[in-house]
Amino acid sequence: MPKVPSAVVAAGGIVGGYGVARWTKKRQLGGAVLAVAGAAAARQWRERAGGKAAGALTAAYVAAFAGSHPLAKKVGAWPAVFGVAGAVALASWAVADRNA
């Protein structure tokens, strides 16, 4: 069975985590979605690109989540979430998925 690209897993974690938190009104549940997807993506990053790249991409994933909050005040919640998810997906593709 082919693996889902890590770019899709990471972007899906950010978008899915926000969506779950918003629709259920339970931030912890959204955080769990974000964490599970982040862990799955990190495992793929480590397998495909090595430990240093996985560490950098994990840091980017966390920074994107954190950065979406102040960005949302300027552009709105969903545009901010989609923007940072796209940035993480692009970085993930460039570092880990492009040659996989």
Side-chain angles (χ1 to χ4, degrees):
M1 183 161 120
K3 284 189 176 181
V4 176
S6 62
V8 173
V9 174
I14 292 171
V15 173
Y18 175 69
V20 167
R22 181 169 179 146
W23 290 316
T24 65
K25 302 202 184 332
K26 296 185 187 312
R27 292 177 64 130
Q28 299 86 348
L29 192 55
V33 170
L34 182 78
V36 168
R43 189 186 84 248
Q44 287 182 314
W45 293 330
R46 189 174 50 254
E47 290 172 0
R48 294 177 184 172
K52 287 184 182 181
L57 287 168
T58 300
Y61 184 80
V62 172
F65 166 71
S68 70
H69 291 83
L71 183 60
K73 292 179 181 177
K74 297 179 190 262
V75 300
W78 280 112
V81 168
F82 285 128
V84 300
V88 168
L90 181 61
S92 180
W93 175 81
V95 173
D97 293 335
R98 179 173 38 171
N99 297 322

